[in-house]
Amino acid sequence: IIIIIIIVAIVIIIIRYMPRGTIHAPRTTASNRSVHLTIGIDGDFTWGDFLKGIRRTGGLKNNDELAAYFKCLPGRSLNMLVPHRPLQGVPPHSVPSALVKQYQDELSSLRWEKCDDKRLINIIKCADCIQNTISLMRQLQIRKAQTDEVRRRKVWK
């Protein structure tokens, strides 16, 4: 019976998925009671954040260009988490080319809509842009981990 409950819970979670930042207001009728449970997945970056990183590191010329890329991806894709596990242990200023290739493949596999093919190819093939953004992401991860460690120490003092 426990397995059935777990399966039902997973199905409900999948059906009720809402991308990060979705504003929602669950309601019930006056005669019905309900429990509202929100489960967050601890992820570092979304593809929207990744595109902002490409802009920040110079891969995109201006915010108008960034906005054009945002229009190419549906909101669900923009809010999908970037795979961050491969970043663990990577020195921030020495990103392996295999990791850059993995992120290029990930970018290619997103559901790009209404996007100029030339523009899309330019960003996906720009290994330096992706490498610089991965480096920035890794630096931010390290900074966050250091901040979290400082907070933990203060709690236990």
Side-chain angles (χ1 to χ4, degrees):
I1 189 131
I2 293 174
I3 294 173
I4 293 172
I5 293 171
I6 291 171
I7 291 171
V8 169
I10 290 171
V11 168
I12 290 171
I13 289 169
I14 291 170
I15 291 172
R16 301 284 184 212
Y17 167 78
M18 288 182 283
R20 181 178 81 163
T22 301
I23 298 172
H24 62 288
R27 297 180 192 164
T28 63
T29 61
S31 63
N32 291 328
R33 293 191 175 137
S34 173
V35 174
H36 179 94
L37 174 66
T38 302
I39 299 173
I41 300 171
D42 184 26
D44 294 332
F45 306 98
T46 64
W47 284 111
D49 297 330
F50 193 83
L51 290 174
K52 289 176 190 173
I54 289 176
R55 164 69 180 110
R56 184 174 173 186
T57 58
L60 299 173
K61 296 175 188 162
N62 54 47
N63 287 334
D64 291 339
E65 201 170 338
L66 176 63
Y69 278 101
F70 267 71
K71 288 178 185 173
C72 292
L73 279 175
R76 188 171 183 133
S77 293
L78 284 170
N79 284 314
M80 284 176 51
L81 295 175
V82 172
H84 63 280
R85 291 279 181 232
L87 294 174
Q88 302 300 329
V90 171
H93 299 292
S94 178
V95 179
S97 58
L99 187 57
V100 172
K101 173 75 173 106
Q102 178 182 345
Y103 277 77
Q104 286 173 315
D105 292 344
E106 292 279 347
L107 270 172
S108 296
S109 70
L110 294 176
R111 292 185 179 146
W112 296 90
E113 300 172 352
K114 304 175 220 157
C115 197
D116 175 13
D117 287 343
K118 183 180 177 188
R119 174 183 306 228
L120 183 57
I121 289 169
N122 287 343
I123 198 71
I124 291 173
K125 293 207 176 205
C126 181
D128 287 342
C129 303
I130 292 173
Q131 182 174 9
N132 292 339
T133 302
I134 293 171
S135 176
L136 174 65
M137 288 169 52
R138 185 63 184 130
Q139 290 171 44
L140 293 172
Q141 277 185 329
I142 290 168
R143 194 175 310 146
K144 182 182 181 302
Q146 290 169 342
T147 303
D148 290 348
E149 183 60 30
V150 168
R151 283 188 192 136
R152 266 190 235 108
R153 287 182 191 159
K154 285 182 182 177
V155 169
W156 294 106
K157 282 187 174 182

